[in-house]
Amino acid sequence: MAKLSELIQAGHAIVEDGKLRRVDPEHATGHIEIDMDIKSIECLAFCDCKNITGVTIPDSVKEIGDAAFMNCESLERIDIPDSVTKIGYNAFYNCFSLSSITIPNSVTTIGYDAFTYCYSLSSITIPNSVTSIGEYTFANCF
Protein backbone atom coordinates (compact mmCIF):
# COMPACT_ATOMS: atom_id res chain seq x y z
CA MET A 1 0.00 0.00 0.00
CA ALA A 2 1.39 3.39 -1.01
CA LYS A 3 0.95 6.36 1.27
CA LEU A 4 0.11 9.83 0.02
CA SER A 5 2.89 11.31 2.18
CA GLU A 6 5.43 9.14 0.32
CA LEU A 7 4.12 10.28 -3.06
CA ILE A 8 4.44 13.91 -1.94
CA GLN A 9 8.01 13.39 -0.70
CA ALA A 10 8.92 11.87 -4.06
CA GLY A 11 7.36 14.81 -5.90
CA HIS A 12 4.47 12.75 -7.32
CA ALA A 13 1.55 14.47 -5.55
CA ILE A 14 0.56 17.99 -4.62
CA VAL A 15 -1.22 19.09 -1.44
CA GLU A 16 -1.85 22.77 -0.75
CA ASP A 17 -3.76 24.26 2.18
CA GLY A 18 -5.12 20.86 3.20
CA LYS A 19 -6.44 20.15 -0.29
CA LEU A 20 -5.22 17.22 -2.37
CA ARG A 21 -4.67 18.86 -5.75
CA ARG A 22 -3.04 16.19 -7.91
CA VAL A 23 -1.50 12.72 -7.91
CA ASP A 24 0.80 11.83 -10.80
CA PRO A 25 -0.89 8.98 -12.73
CA GLU A 26 2.48 7.52 -13.74
CA HIS A 27 3.46 6.89 -10.11
CA ALA A 28 0.15 5.97 -8.50
CA THR A 29 -0.35 2.19 -8.37
CA GLY A 30 -2.18 -0.30 -6.18
CA HIS A 31 -3.95 0.85 -3.05
CA ILE A 32 -3.33 4.44 -1.93
CA GLU A 33 -3.73 5.45 1.70
CA ILE A 34 -4.33 9.15 2.27
CA ASP A 35 -2.36 9.31 5.51
CA MET A 36 -2.64 13.04 6.08
CA ASP A 37 -5.19 15.57 7.32
CA ILE A 38 -6.78 16.45 4.00
CA LYS A 39 -9.94 18.59 3.85
CA SER A 40 -10.86 17.82 0.26
CA ILE A 41 -9.91 15.74 -2.74
CA GLU A 42 -9.93 18.40 -5.42
CA CYS A 43 -11.12 18.41 -9.03
CA LEU A 44 -9.11 15.91 -11.14
CA ALA A 45 -6.88 14.93 -8.17
CA PHE A 46 -6.63 11.24 -9.16
CA CYS A 47 -7.83 11.66 -12.77
CA ASP A 48 -6.28 9.13 -15.15
CA CYS A 49 -4.61 7.13 -12.35
CA LYS A 50 -5.40 3.95 -14.28
CA ASN A 51 -3.36 1.67 -12.01
CA ILE A 52 -4.84 2.41 -8.59
CA THR A 53 -7.03 -0.35 -7.20
CA GLY A 54 -8.24 1.28 -4.00
CA VAL A 55 -8.12 4.43 -1.91
CA THR A 56 -8.46 4.86 1.85
CA ILE A 57 -9.84 8.31 2.61
CA PRO A 58 -9.42 9.78 6.12
CA ASP A 59 -12.23 11.22 8.25
CA SER A 60 -10.87 14.73 7.71
CA VAL A 61 -12.13 14.82 4.08
CA LYS A 62 -15.37 16.76 3.61
CA GLU A 63 -15.66 16.75 -0.18
CA ILE A 64 -14.76 14.59 -3.16
CA GLY A 65 -14.33 17.08 -6.00
CA ASP A 66 -15.49 17.05 -9.58
CA ALA A 67 -13.85 14.32 -11.67
CA ALA A 68 -11.61 13.48 -8.69
CA PHE A 69 -11.30 9.81 -9.71
CA MET A 70 -12.28 10.09 -13.37
CA ASN A 71 -10.78 7.37 -15.60
CA CYS A 72 -9.39 5.31 -12.71
CA GLU A 73 -10.16 2.17 -14.67
CA SER A 74 -8.69 -0.30 -12.14
CA LEU A 75 -10.30 1.26 -9.06
CA GLU A 76 -12.15 -1.59 -7.36
CA ARG A 77 -12.75 -0.21 -3.90
CA ILE A 78 -13.07 3.13 -2.21
CA ASP A 79 -14.11 3.72 1.38
CA ILE A 80 -15.94 7.01 1.73
CA PRO A 81 -15.87 8.19 5.37
CA ASP A 82 -18.80 9.69 7.30
CA SER A 83 -17.18 13.12 7.09
CA VAL A 84 -17.85 13.53 3.33
CA THR A 85 -20.89 15.69 2.52
CA LYS A 86 -20.56 16.09 -1.25
CA ILE A 87 -19.52 13.89 -4.17
CA GLY A 88 -18.83 16.09 -7.20
CA TYR A 89 -19.88 15.65 -10.79
CA ASN A 90 -17.97 13.03 -12.79
CA ALA A 91 -16.28 12.00 -9.50
CA PHE A 92 -16.03 8.31 -10.48
CA TYR A 93 -16.72 8.60 -14.21
CA ASN A 94 -15.21 5.67 -16.17
CA CYS A 95 -14.21 3.70 -13.07
CA PHE A 96 -14.92 0.44 -14.89
CA SER A 97 -13.81 -1.88 -12.06
CA LEU A 98 -15.75 -0.27 -9.20
CA SER A 99 -18.23 -2.97 -8.18
CA SER A 100 -19.95 -1.62 -5.09
CA ILE A 101 -20.11 1.57 -3.10
CA THR A 102 -21.73 2.69 0.11
CA ILE A 103 -22.59 6.35 0.37
CA PRO A 104 -22.34 7.43 4.03
CA ASN A 105 -25.17 9.20 5.89
CA SER A 106 -23.21 12.46 5.84
CA VAL A 107 -23.51 12.89 2.05
CA THR A 108 -26.26 15.25 0.87
CA THR A 109 -25.26 15.81 -2.76
CA ILE A 110 -24.12 13.51 -5.57
CA GLY A 111 -23.21 15.39 -8.73
CA TYR A 112 -24.30 14.57 -12.26
CA ASP A 113 -22.47 11.76 -14.05
CA ALA A 114 -20.80 10.83 -10.74
CA PHE A 115 -20.83 7.10 -11.50
CA THR A 116 -21.39 7.09 -15.26
CA TYR A 117 -19.69 4.21 -17.10
CA CYS A 118 -19.03 2.25 -13.92
CA TYR A 119 -19.84 -0.96 -15.79
CA SER A 120 -19.06 -3.27 -12.86
CA LEU A 121 -21.17 -1.37 -10.34
CA SER A 122 -23.67 -3.92 -9.09
CA SER A 123 -24.39 -2.62 -5.60
CA ILE A 124 -24.87 0.88 -4.26
CA THR A 125 -26.32 2.05 -0.99
CA ILE A 126 -27.74 5.57 -0.92
CA PRO A 127 -28.93 6.90 2.45
CA ASN A 128 -31.92 9.18 3.06
CA SER A 129 -29.49 12.04 3.77
CA VAL A 130 -28.91 12.44 0.02
CA THR A 131 -31.23 15.23 -1.11
CA SER A 132 -29.75 15.89 -4.53
CA ILE A 133 -28.67 13.41 -7.22
CA GLY A 134 -27.57 14.91 -10.52
CA GLU A 135 -28.69 13.83 -13.95
CA TYR A 136 -27.15 10.72 -15.47
CA THR A 137 -25.43 9.85 -12.19
CA PHE A 138 -25.68 6.14 -12.94
CA ALA A 139 -25.81 6.23 -16.74
CA ASN A 140 -24.37 3.17 -18.48
CA CYS A 141 -23.91 1.19 -15.28
CA PHE A 142 -24.81 -2.39 -16.14
Side-chain angles (χ1 to χ4, degrees):
M1 179 181 316
K3 296 181 184 277
L4 178 63
S5 59
E6 295 167 351
L7 291 169
I8 291 169
Q9 287 174 351
H12 303 306
I14 300 169
V15 172
E16 296 173 335
D17 300 323
K19 298 176 181 181
L20 176 55
R21 301 270 186 207
R22 188 70 175 134
V23 174
D24 182 352
E26 297 297 317
H27 295 90
T29 60
H31 190 98
I32 308 288
E33 178 187 354
I34 300 176
D35 61 331
M36 305 171 65
D37 239 7
I38 300 294
K39 297 174 192 158
S40 64
I41 299 171
E42 294 291 291
C43 178
L44 302 170
F46 284 93
C47 183
D48 295 323
C49 289
K50 297 182 187 306
N51 296 314
I52 63 170
T53 57
V55 177
T56 301
I57 301 173
D59 289 337
S60 59
V61 172
K62 305 286 185 234
E63 182 176 331
I64 297 174
D66 301 336
F69 294 93
M70 180 183 233
N71 297 327
C72 292
E73 297 171 358
S74 299
L75 183 66
E76 298 171 352
R77 180 178 174 184
I78 187 151
D79 297 318
I80 301 174
D82 289 331
S83 57
V84 172
T85 60
K86 179 183 176 188
I87 298 172
Y89 71 85
N90 291 332
F92 297 95
Y93 189 96
N94 278 344
C95 291
F96 304 140
S97 300
L98 190 62
S99 61
S100 70
I101 193 153
T102 299
I103 308 294
N105 288 325
S106 55
V107 172
T108 59
T109 303
I110 301 173
Y112 67 86
D113 280 337
F115 296 96
T116 295
Y117 294 113
C118 292
Y119 297 127
S120 299
L121 192 61
S122 60
S123 172
I124 184 158
T125 302
I126 302 173
N128 291 335
S129 63
V130 175
T131 57
S132 175
I133 298 176
E135 290 184 299
Y136 310 110
T137 295
F138 300 101
N140 298 304
C141 294
F142 301 8

